[in-house]
Amino acid sequence: MKIRVVSVPVGDQEKALQFYTKKLGFVKKLDIPLGEGSRWLTVVDEEEQDGPEVLLEPAPNHFEPAKTFQKALFDAGIPWTQFNVDNVDTEYDRLIQLGVEFSVKPTVMGTAKVAVFNDTCGNNIQIVEML
């Protein structure tokens, strides 16, 4: 088994694409129309374009329980997913300069340093540096 695609629920795929590419630095890999305004829209790490893809999934638009679950996680401050980074402080500073809002500033937790930001699409996303 291999992990090829993980999904992040988004209400507006175009808004998500702009955030995930322009602010986070991912690159668009696939953009396939699925009908009814939905797309199979994935982004990847620019340095690992054959690596795992993040699907910007329009699930909250089509399945009310998905929207309820996403909102409950967000309101509780629980990250939907996490992305590893080489240096949390450096990435935090870069993203702050781009206007990204953090709910958790860089914090050491055991053998990791973490920070949590709002992806503007209804999700808390955690960045992690292993110490």
Side-chain angles (χ1 to χ4, degrees), residues 31 40 67 70 92 98 102 109-111 122 129:
D31 190 351
W40 182 267
K67 184 185 289 184
Q70 179 187 22
Y92 172 83
L98 292 171
F102 280 78
M109 294 185 169
T111 60
E129 169 191 352

Side-chain angles (χ1 to χ4, degrees), residues 100-113:
V100 175
E101 295 180 13
F102 280 78
S103 58
V104 177
K105 293 180 180 179
T107 304
V108 174
M109 294 185 169
T111 60
K113 184 180 277 190

Side-chain angles (χ1 to χ4, degrees), residues 19-119:
F19 182 86
Y20 279 75
T21 56
K22 305 255 189 267
K23 303 242 174 164
L24 300 187
F26 291 110
V27 294
K28 180 169 63 170
K29 179 152 187 178
L30 294 173
D31 190 351
I32 302 167
L34 298 175
E36 298 181 26
S38 293
R39 301 145 63 183
W40 182 267
L41 179 60
T42 66
V43 295
V44 294
D45 181 327
E46 186 172 24
E47 296 175 11
E48 268 188 77
Q49 293 190 25
D50 291 327
E53 300 171 46
V54 176
L55 172 64
L56 303 176
E57 171 72 57
N61 299 334
H62 307 293
F63 189 57
E64 193 61 33
K67 184 185 289 184
T68 301
F69 180 65
Q70 179 187 22
K71 183 175 180 343
L73 283 180
F74 185 84
D75 290 348
I78 298 171
W80 182 272
T81 194
Q82 73 178 32
F83 299 129
N84 286 19
V85 296
D86 292 330
N87 186 302
V88 164
D89 293 316
T90 301
E91 195 65 17
Y92 172 83
D93 291 341
R94 182 183 79 79
L95 293 173
I96 285 289
Q97 291 298 313
L98 292 171
V100 175
E101 295 180 13
F102 280 78
S103 58
V104 177
K105 293 180 180 179
T107 304
V108 174
M109 294 185 169
T111 60
K113 184 180 277 190
V114 304
V116 178
F117 64 85
N118 175 347
D119 76 350

